[in-house]
Amino acid sequence: MGLTVPSWSPRRGLPFLRIYWQRVLSLLYPPRCVACRRVGAVLCTSCMRAFPPIRPPVCPRCGHPLPKVAPCQTCRRGILRALDRVRSAARFQPPLREAIYALKYRGARALGPVLGAYMAARLRPQALTVDLIVPVPLHAERHQRRGYNQATLLAQPVAEVLQAPLATEALVRIRPTAPQITLPFSERQTNVAGAFCCPDPSYVRDRRILLVDDVMTSGSTLEACAAALKEAGARSVWGYTLARALPDGG
Ligand SMILES: [Zn+2]
Ligand SMILES: [Zn+2]
């Protein structure tokens, strides 16, 4: 008689119960900032404002901060071959460093969209023409263990702001590699050389690609990805990372 009582069904009921349970949990255990431990959000606004951005002047090719716009020493030695250009949003320093460790090693998946939005906000979309966004893949075993690829989470807001499709299967890591951060610079290139391939080159042929990753250290991982993409026929490969670890730590 004009009043309908919605009938309970597992399909309707379970998401409702999950949301209800999440609210109960967030009252019992409110989120804390991964960097400063303040209660309220998984990453507080004052920590986000403290991220040390990388601003020009930088090396035109690899984006290394310099006193003036000029090719850096590494680029003068021709270290980057397949990778056409790289930029990073900020320096790999606290509190960004803590946030990246939490995202990668402590299962703080909720940080992915927050940090990805930070990357997207620091891009100038008008300065970029991109056909495809490709996150740096994890090896299948590590992906399964972690439950997500942090580079894909970061790449989603970047793809939205650039209005370009996100291709998570264009590139795969065909062999497991030691985390670059655990190795000296001299071993990083051999660690990742030949670790990536494009299973279906038609995805990337003649495309202008933007590779997305969390941290750039020596650039070897991005370079190995770019080599696989170029071999499959990509027209250009640019890299964009959330953070850049600089040799002087600065
Ligand atoms: Zn904080
Ligand atoms: Zn350079």
Side-chain angles (χ1 to χ4, degrees):
M1 297 197 289
L3 181 72
T4 48
V5 178
S7 59
W8 188 88
S9 76
R11 202 175 282 210
R12 290 169 56 88
L14 285 177
F16 170 77
L17 281 178
R18 198 174 58 229
I19 291 165
Y20 181 73
W21 181 238
Q22 278 166 356
R23 287 202 184 138
V24 171
L25 277 181
S26 70
L27 284 174
L28 291 174
Y29 306 102
R32 275 176 185 275
C33 173
V34 293
C36 71
R37 308 303 298 154
R38 208 173 293 159
V39 174
V42 70
L43 189 63
C44 75
T45 44
S46 63
C47 282
M48 277 191 85
R49 277 196 214 110
F51 287 176
I54 293 182
R55 296 200 172 96
V58 295
C59 166
R61 179 120 191 222
C62 76
H64 193 289
L66 293 168
K68 62 180 173 82
V69 179
C72 72
Q73 275 187 9
T74 314
C75 290
R76 268 186 266 143
R77 293 206 310 268
I79 302 289
L80 299 182
R81 293 164 193 271
L83 200 53
D84 296 294
R85 194 175 281 205
V86 196
R87 293 292 182 271
S88 305
R91 292 164 189 256
F92 188 54
Q93 287 175 347
L96 178 56
R97 195 168 56 197
E98 280 70 25
I100 291 175
Y101 281 144
L103 173 65
K104 285 177 80 165
Y105 306 116
R106 299 208 308 271
R109 185 186 184 135
L111 283 172
V114 179
L115 296 171
Y118 175 82
M119 287 180 82
R122 292 204 51 79
L123 268 180
R124 285 189 304 129
Q126 66 278 17
L128 264 174
T129 314
V130 168
D131 301 314
L132 210 58
I133 313 290
V134 175
V136 169
L138 295 176
H139 187 260
E141 273 170 35
R142 189 172 296 160
H143 196 157
Q144 205 178 4
R145 223 177 312 132
R146 194 171 292 169
Y148 55 89
N149 177 4
Q150 71 281 358
T152 303
L153 300 180
L154 297 175
Q156 276 158 354
V158 172
E160 264 167 47
V161 81
L162 294 176
Q163 297 182 332
L166 181 66
T168 53
E169 278 153 32
L171 190 66
V172 293
R173 198 181 286 241
I174 46 179
R175 66 175 168 80
T177 51
Q180 291 288 79
I181 208 143
T182 62
L183 299 173
F185 267 61
S186 55
E187 287 173 29
R188 289 181 182 181
Q189 209 171 343
T190 35
N191 180 43
V192 288
F196 300 92
C197 89
C198 297
D200 182 354
S202 67
Y203 262 131
V204 301
R205 195 171 295 136
D206 291 327
R207 300 289 171 90
R208 289 163 296 192
I209 299 196
L210 183 71
L211 269 169
V212 173
D213 205 4
D214 43 38
V215 186
M216 173 174 164
T217 43
S218 65
S220 307
T221 303
L222 289 175
E223 177 63 22
C225 290
L229 290 164
K230 286 272 174 87
E231 203 176 306
R235 199 198 307 178
S236 63
V237 182
W238 288 26
Y240 183 41
T241 69
L242 170 59
R244 167 90 51 130
L246 298 165
D248 59 3

